Amino acid sequence: QLQLVESGGGLVQPGGSLRLSCAASGFTLNSYLNSYTISWFRQAPGKEREGVSCISSTGAGTSYADSVKGRFTISRDNAKNTVYLQMNSLKPEDTARYYCAADRSYTRACTVGGDWGQGTQVTVSS
C-alpha cells in the first residue's frame, strides 16, 4: 500500500491560484510511481467526494471533471515521486478538501480512487 501525502492547500481569493502536490512513498521492490495512475478527488462539507482529475502512469493520458476543465492542470514527475494539480481561476465552489489517490488501474483510479492520502484543505473566499 502506498503512502500519499498531499500539500499546498490554503486560503486563496477568488480568481487566485494554488498548486497541490501529492508525494508518494512506500513502494515495494520493483514498483515505482510510474506503475500507478494518480487521481485527485475533492469533498466539500455535506457533499459526496467527487473526482477532479487523473493522470495515467506515464502521464500520456489525463482527464478532468467538466467543472475544472480549462482551469486545472494535472502533471507528474515520476523521478520525484510527485503529482501536481495546478489550480487557476479558483472559484468559491472549488472550496473542499482535496485528496490524491493511486491505483495501478487507470479506470479504477479515475472513478473510485485507490490508496488515499489524508487530504489538504482548499478554501476560496474573499
Side-chain angles (χ1 to χ4, degrees):
Q1 185 173 359
L2 293 186
Q3 286 79 54
L4 303 172
V5 178
E6 303 92 335
S7 62
L11 174 64
V12 63
Q13 293 186 341
S17 298
L18 285 173
R19 188 176 80 158
L20 305 184
S21 298
C22 173
S25 62
F27 300 102
T28 58
L29 187 64
N30 293 325
S31 175
Y32 305 96
L33 187 66
N34 61 12
S35 300
Y36 294 85
T37 291
I38 306 296
S39 53
W40 286 96
F41 286 73
R42 65 186 180 186
Q43 188 168 21
K47 295 187 177 181
E48 292 186 355
R49 188 174 294 187
E50 64 172 347
V52 175
S53 181
C54 61
I55 186 167
S56 65
S57 57
T58 62
T62 59
S63 67
Y64 297 91
D66 288 343
S67 58
V68 306
K69 280 181 182 177
R71 299 188 298 122
F72 290 11
T73 303
I74 192 170
S75 62
R76 65 191 296 157
D77 186 338
N78 286 337
K80 294 183 177 179
N81 291 331
T82 302
V83 173
Y84 305 98
L85 185 68
Q86 179 67 43
M87 306 187 299
N88 298 329
S89 303
L90 283 161
K91 304 175 181 180
E93 50 264 44
D94 295 318
T95 295
R97 192 163 186 84
Y98 284 71
Y99 300 85
C100 63
D103 198 276
R104 293 179 181 269
S105 163
Y106 181 83
T107 299
R108 188 159 55 238
C110 293
T111 56
V112 298
D115 294 332
W116 292 95
Q118 294 301 305
T120 184
Q121 179 66 36
V122 172
T123 302
V124 185
S125 175
S126 55

